[in-house]
Amino acid sequence: IFGWKIAATSSAGQQHIGVTGPIAGRLLAERSYQDGAELLFGDNRMRVAEPEFAFRFGRSLGPTDEPYSVHEVLDAVSSLHPAIEIPDSRFEDFASAGEAQLIADNACSHEFVIGPAAETEWRAIDLTQHEVHVECIDGDAYAGNGSNVLGDPRVALQWLVNEVTGLGLSIETGQVVTTGTCAEPLEIKPDDEV
C-alpha cells in the first residue's frame, strides 16, 4: 500500500461518481508514479485527471479511543505534494453503481502521480485559498482551490485518518494520503499530456 485516497470530497467529484459524500480507498504501490511518468491509458472508463493535495506521513497514526484532531494529524505529516489522480472503476456505469459498490471498488482508485515535496513552508499557507490548476497541454484547463476539498484539504485529511483508524487500521510512516480533487475533473484521452 502506497497510501490512501479520498474520493468525492468536492461536489463535482460527488456528481461524477454519483455519491453523496466522501469515500476512502487505498493507493497501490504498483499504480503510483513520480512526476513526469508516462502511464498506459488502457480501457479507462472514467477518463479524467484530478489535481489534488497529497500529504506524506512522517510518523504513523493508529487506532485510538478518540478521533484525531486536525492539529494531531498535521503533526504527523512530514511533507505536502502536488498530485494527479487518474481514477477508474470496474463498473461501466460507475455513476449509478452506488456508494457501497464504489467503496468495494476501492473508491475508484486506479493510478496516482505524486509531485515533489513543496519547498515553501506550506503549514503557513491557507490551503483553502491556494489555487490549483490542471490542464491538458493544447487542450482544456481548469482551476480550483483547496476549499473545494470538504472546505479545507486539512479537514479532508483528518476525515480520512479518522475513517481509516476507526476501522482498526493505521496510516503508516511514509504513506501518502491524497485528499480529493480541487477542481472539476479534467477529461482526458490517450496521448494527452496533463
Side-chain angles (χ1 to χ4, degrees):
I1 295 176
F2 185 78
W4 300 85
K5 64 160 285 184
I6 312 172
T9 53
S10 70
S11 58
Q14 290 168 13
Q15 290 170 4
H16 185 65
I17 63 173
V19 299
T20 59
I23 57 176
R26 291 171 170 88
L27 297 173
L28 303 178
E30 62 267 25
R31 296 280 191 172
S32 298
Y33 305 88
Q34 298 299 310
D35 185 33
E38 185 172 310
L39 285 61
L40 293 176
F41 194 84
D43 294 324
N44 190 302
R45 291 181 175 98
M46 297 184 92
R47 297 176 170 260
V48 295
E50 300 177 338
E52 307 194 2
F53 290 102
F55 298 85
R56 186 177 299 277
F57 278 73
R59 64 179 173 81
S60 64
L61 293 177
T64 62
D65 293 333
E66 296 294 324
Y68 288 100
S69 68
V70 171
H71 179 73
E72 289 171 320
V73 170
L74 289 174
D75 275 352
V77 171
S78 60
S79 56
L80 172 66
H81 304 254
I84 299 172
E85 185 187 8
I86 312 293
D88 198 13
S89 176
R90 72 184 69 193
F91 298 106
E92 190 169 323
D93 188 7
F94 55 84
S96 64
E99 291 181 24
Q101 295 280 65
L102 293 178
I103 291 169
D105 196 23
N106 202 20
C108 305
S109 183
H110 182 53
E111 294 182 314
F112 177 73
V113 180
I114 187 166
E119 294 180 6
T120 59
E121 180 43 56
W122 60 270
R123 293 174 193 274
I125 297 172
D126 180 1
L127 295 180
T128 66
Q129 299 306 307
H130 188 74
E131 289 191 8
V132 177
H133 301 267
V134 62
E135 67 176 302
C136 283
I137 304 304
D138 299 324
D140 291 339
Y142 295 122
N145 62 43
S147 68
N148 291 327
V149 183
L150 291 183
D152 187 328
R154 296 163 293 202
V155 170
L157 179 67
Q158 176 197 24
W159 179 88
L160 184 283
V161 167
N162 286 322
E163 182 77 2
V164 169
T165 59
L167 295 171
L169 304 170
S170 297
I171 308 291
E172 301 294 344
T173 302
Q175 287 185 343
V176 168
V177 172
T178 190
T179 56
T181 188
C182 299
E184 182 178 339
L186 178 69
E187 290 188 20
I188 57 172
K189 60 187 184 309
D191 298 323
D192 278 346
E193 182 179 354
V194 179

